[in-house]
Amino acid sequence: MAIDLVTRREWGARQPRGAYGRLSSTRGVKVHYTGGQVSPDIVGDHARCVALVRSIQNHHMDGNGWIDVGYSLLVCPHRKVFEGRGPNHLPAANGSGLNSGHYAVLGLVGSTGFTQPTDDILHGILDAVEYLRDKGGAGDEIKGHRDGYSTDCPGGPLYAWVKRGAPRPGGGTNPPEPHPSFPGRVLKYPPVMVGEDVRTWQRQMRTRGWDIDVDGLYGEASRDACRAFQREKGLSATGAVNRATWQATWEEPVT
Ligand SMILES: [Zn+2]
Ligand SMILES: [Zn+2]
């Protein structure tokens, strides 16, 4: 499912008071919670989510004196992702000195009232993480605010989920095995591409039974194997390993 973004205009965000610091990439994302009381009524009434996000922005700008809401993205129980500072902008919520390392994603979960993250909020957080990977160069890490900073955030239940590796909920009886995440560049030929990501993909293809050298060089043979694999799986036969092909190399059953 594609990300369900709520734009700043849609949630009535105030304009930032200054320019954001720029980020071209991060090691990953830190997960936060609202803390305090979040009414369980929020689950039945998205208007309450909008009001809560606006109050968080007001608190960050008027209480903390920040130029804007501190989070990169904010996620509500309706699997909607509110634009905060967005990708490529320095967040403010991780703590001094820790903002350039990770984007900051908030789940609207309290420490009283609405405290147990629902499947939709977990999916929404992962939608946000994938969006930051695609648009903002976020790396593989998913951590909690409390990692490296003295705080309860993101609360017990969300943190336990982070520590389990932040899995998609309800992955059915056979959730896909964790596998190396897409390297962020498309592997293609010509010219020959060189790298550990190429080697990782080749090794997996070999494991699947393809006759392919694991040499870290993406040349003609890799391209042809890729194209044949894509045809077999009904993917567009480009001979280039994009995100979908990379994932299929691990997630599709071997036939
Ligand atoms: Zn936090
Ligand atoms: Zn909502």
Side-chain angles (χ1 to χ4, degrees):
M1 183 172 140
I3 188 170
D4 187 358
L5 264 187
V6 182
T7 65
R8 292 178 66 97
R9 173 189 287 269
E10 285 168 337
W11 64 265
R14 291 161 62 184
Q15 291 294 317
R17 268 201 297 261
Y20 304 124
R22 301 283 306 174
L23 281 179
S24 56
S25 65
T26 66
R27 292 201 298 280
V29 171
K30 282 190 173 169
V31 175
H32 297 256
Y33 78 157
T34 316
Q37 162 76 17
V38 172
S39 167
D41 296 343
I42 191 175
V43 176
D45 185 2
H46 179 65
R48 287 175 182 262
C49 307
V50 178
L52 184 52
V53 167
R54 294 177 68 155
S55 77
I56 291 167
Q57 186 191 32
N58 287 337
H59 176 67
H60 284 182
M61 293 180 76
D62 303 333
N64 298 0
W66 296 346
I67 57 170
D68 190 9
V69 65
Y71 303 109
S72 308
L73 297 167
L74 305 88
V75 181
C76 82
H78 307 99
R79 198 173 171 176
K80 291 180 184 291
V81 181
F82 291 71
E83 282 186 322
R85 298 191 180 200
N88 298 119
H89 298 147
L90 191 71
N94 293 334
S96 180
L98 298 172
N99 289 307
S100 60
H102 295 83
Y103 290 110
V105 171
L106 174 82
L108 291 184
V109 173
S111 51
T112 60
F114 180 61
T115 59
Q116 292 296 326
T118 57
D119 283 1
D120 275 344
I121 214 166
L122 297 178
H123 278 302
I125 290 171
L126 292 170
D127 295 343
V129 167
E130 287 172 9
Y131 179 80
L132 291 167
R133 286 176 180 166
D134 278 349
K135 308 279 184 192
D140 288 344
E141 289 184 2
I142 301 179
K143 297 202 162 201
H145 187 187
R146 68 172 72 166
D147 291 317
Y149 189 84
S150 177
T151 173
D152 285 339
C153 184
L158 261 183
Y159 192 63
W161 172 74
V162 166
K163 293 303 275 182
R164 286 203 312 277
R168 283 273 176 196
T173 48
N174 284 314
E177 289 289 303
H179 63 67
S181 60
F182 180 63
R185 64 170 187 167
V186 175
L187 310 181
K188 57 183 194 291
Y189 168 85
V192 173
M193 280 177 82
V194 184
E196 270 312 300
D197 47 1
V198 174
R199 193 185 297 277
T200 300
W201 178 81
Q202 288 172 328
R203 190 179 299 119
Q204 176 63 12
M205 285 293 278
R206 207 176 167 83
T207 301
R208 296 180 68 98
W210 292 83
D211 183 14
I212 187 173
D213 287 332
V214 183
D215 56 7
L217 302 172
Y218 197 92
E220 209 171 345
S222 291
R223 181 198 59 193
D224 292 348
C226 173
R227 194 172 275 157
F229 172 71
Q230 287 171 326
R231 281 204 194 92
E232 180 188 296
K233 296 306 173 196
L235 296 161
S236 170
T238 58
V241 183
N242 60 7
R243 182 182 292 271
T245 299
W246 179 278
Q247 287 175 346
T249 310
W250 275 269
E251 294 175 4
E252 285 287 336
V254 178
T255 48

